[in-house]
């Protein structure tokens, strides 16, 4: 079970001729792995400020909706022991002044949901949950990578 949702980062008025391939460097892959853990931790801690630093405004709205839905159900979702198992570049390109990279992220994490009041476990267990999602990262030229889309593969 994953907490993320799909959000397309493509605009309908972009022509394929406007897209230029880019090279992704080892430091970029390190950033993608670090951001995976930071996003999952910020989500788990219901830390919107932490998420705001790592995801685009569109993605922040999806995370905010999920956290609000959890609060209305009186639960908190805790994601721990996040570990990237494999990251494979699907595509990387420049569009206008922004660079994008979509990476197939195969990772594991322990995913538990607790009752907010009692702390009682209501869903999940201690076994790592493994899955693959396509994470699209975006950065302004010279800026930091941020998550701009996540697509589930299930």
């Amino acid at each position: 079970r994953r907490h993320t949702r799909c959000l397309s980062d493509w605009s309908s008025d972009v022509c394929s001729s406007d897209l230029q391939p880019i090279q992704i460097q080892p430091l970029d892959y390190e950033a993608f792995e670090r951001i995976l853990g930071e996003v999952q931790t910020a989500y788990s801690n219901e830390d919107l400020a932490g998420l705001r630093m790592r995801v685009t405004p569109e993605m922040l709205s999806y995370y905010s909706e999920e956290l609000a839905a959890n609060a209305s159900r009186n639960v908190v979702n805790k994601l721990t022991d996040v570990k990237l198992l494999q990251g494979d570049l699907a595509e990387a390109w420049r569009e206008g002044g922004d660079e994008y990279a979509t990476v197939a992220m195969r990772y594991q994490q322990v995913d538990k949901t607790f009752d907010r009041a009692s702390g009682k476990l209501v869903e999940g267990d201690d076994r790592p949950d493994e899955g693959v999602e396509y994470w699209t990262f975006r950065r302004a030229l010279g800026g930091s990578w941020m998550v701009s889309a996540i697509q589930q593969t299930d």
Side-chain angles (χ1 to χ4, degrees):
R1 186 172 66 76
R2 297 283 186 234
H3 67 276
T4 51
R5 298 183 187 186
C6 175
L7 176 66
S8 175
D9 210 313
W10 289 92
S11 56
S12 58
D13 60 347
V14 174
C15 300
S16 60
S17 62
D18 295 336
L19 307 180
Q20 303 168 344
I22 61 169
Q23 294 295 314
I24 298 301
Q25 305 301 321
L27 282 176
D28 297 317
Y29 288 106
E30 291 172 18
F32 302 154
E33 182 173 8
R34 185 188 77 252
I35 292 167
L36 167 70
E38 291 172 351
V39 166
Q40 302 299 62
T41 298
Y43 174 85
S44 188
N45 293 333
E46 300 181 327
D47 178 8
L48 288 175
L51 285 167
R52 186 176 291 112
M53 294 172 33
R54 293 165 180 90
V55 304
T56 62
E58 298 84 2
M59 285 300 297
L60 184 63
S61 71
Y62 282 98
Y63 282 111
S64 296
E65 286 176 20
E66 284 200 15
L67 292 174
N70 285 348
S72 72
R73 291 177 31 230
N74 202 33
V75 297
V76 61
N77 187 202
K78 292 291 185 183
L79 307 172
T80 59
D81 302 319
V82 178
K83 180 180 178 184
L84 181 66
L85 303 174
Q86 184 175 347
D88 294 317
L89 183 67
E91 60 182 329
W93 70 97
R94 180 174 296 119
E95 180 182 319
D98 291 331
E99 294 179 330
Y100 295 83
T102 298
V103 180
M105 308 276 273
R106 185 170 67 88
Y107 64 97
Q108 67 182 26
Q109 64 191 1
V110 175
D111 184 354
K112 298 180 188 176
T113 302
F114 297 92
D115 180 85
R116 193 174 293 274
S118 71
K120 180 182 174 190
L121 181 69
V122 294
E123 190 175 343
D125 55 41
D126 288 325
R127 292 179 308 217
D129 175 31
E130 185 178 314
V132 177
E133 295 173 329
Y134 286 94
W135 285 46
T136 298
F137 299 88
R138 180 176 80 193
R139 70 175 171 194
L141 293 179
S144 298
W145 289 108
M146 300 183 84
V147 179
S148 66
I150 297 172
Q151 183 178 1
Q152 297 181 0
T153 59
D154 301 342

